Amino acid sequence: MTTDTTLGRRERKKVATRGAIQRAALLLASQHGVENVTVEQIATRADVGLRTFFNYFPSKEDAILASTVPGLETLIAEVSTRPVGEPVLVALREAVMRVMQHRDAAGRDRLLALRVVRDSPLLAPRQMAMHSTYEKALADAISARVDPGAPPIYPALCAAAALAALRVVLHRWLDSGDAPSPELLRQEVTDAFALLADGLDR
């Protein structure tokens, strides 16, 4: 991933502008509810014009959800770098742990983003569409790791199960208190992937 030290002045300004819009959208949504926030309000809060807003995001929903995208992109990248021959669910679990290590899930803005997305039905259609795209990308990353003789459904099934497990874990974790423990999140992830690996039939 490109770092700030390698970005030119223009690129750094774009990153800063995008970040300002994302944060403005997130804060307004948390304060007033997604349904009560307008693009105009977000642009004003971020100190940009409407045209600039739409240069970065097609809708307010996309601006709000953008705070959750880096974690998904990093997860897919981490899966692709796991050791060859490592079982798929182990690779997925370890990739999640790496994402958690490098991206502070318990940070204030991260918690705010997760709670806004969880509590906003208005975001559900766009979130589902976005997750479908990343689920496909994750399935492709898994497909590159498995034996060609594996059932064709296997990579897609693993990707869907992993992302569903993460969604359940995150919701449980967020419900555990105002300042949920990172250690609890790691344990919940470990337990969830262990259940997937063992099989859910009881």
Side-chain angles (χ1 to χ4, degrees), residues 54-75:
F54 286 115
N55 282 340
Y56 288 89
F57 299 104
S59 70
K60 67 178 182 181
E61 291 83 3
D62 287 277
I64 296 166
L65 288 169
S67 296
T68 67
V69 167
L72 292 170
E73 293 177 339
T74 306
L75 173 61

Side-chain angles (χ1 to χ4, degrees), residues 106-186:
R108 185 174 178 180
D109 284 356
R110 188 67 50 197
L111 283 173
L112 187 60
L114 292 171
R115 287 192 166 116
V116 166
V117 171
R118 180 196 62 179
D119 297 336
S120 303
L122 189 63
L123 294 174
R126 186 69 191 96
Q127 185 185 27
M128 288 180 64
M130 182 183 77
H131 277 205
S132 178
T133 298
Y134 285 102
E135 184 180 302
K136 173 63 168 59
L138 182 57
D140 289 343
I142 293 170
S143 180
R145 302 179 53 82
V146 299
D147 189 283
I153 196 175
Y154 181 77
L157 192 59
C158 282
L163 292 183
L166 288 177
R167 184 176 68 251
V168 172
V169 164
L170 283 171
H171 285 189
R172 284 172 51 84
W173 181 65
L174 291 171
D175 288 339
S176 69
D178 291 336
S181 160
E183 290 74 22
L184 175 61
L185 179 57
R186 284 191 285 271

Side-chain angles (χ1 to χ4, degrees), residues 74 78 81-82 93-103:
T74 306
E78 288 289 346
T81 62
R82 296 302 304 169
R93 184 195 66 211
E94 292 304 310
V96 171
M97 293 297 187
R98 291 275 295 175
V99 172
M100 290 167 51
Q101 178 182 344
H102 294 296
R103 300 188 62 80

Side-chain angles (χ1 to χ4, degrees), residues 1 4 13-14 18-19 22-23 35 42-43 47 56 74 104 107 136 144 162 179 198-199:
M1 183 174 64
D4 285 346
K13 185 176 180 180
K14 286 182 178 179
R18 183 180 181 88
Q22 283 181 215
R23 182 161 175 76
E35 67 279 6
I42 296 171
D47 195 24
Y56 288 89
T74 306
D104 183 9
K136 173 63 168 59
D198 289 343

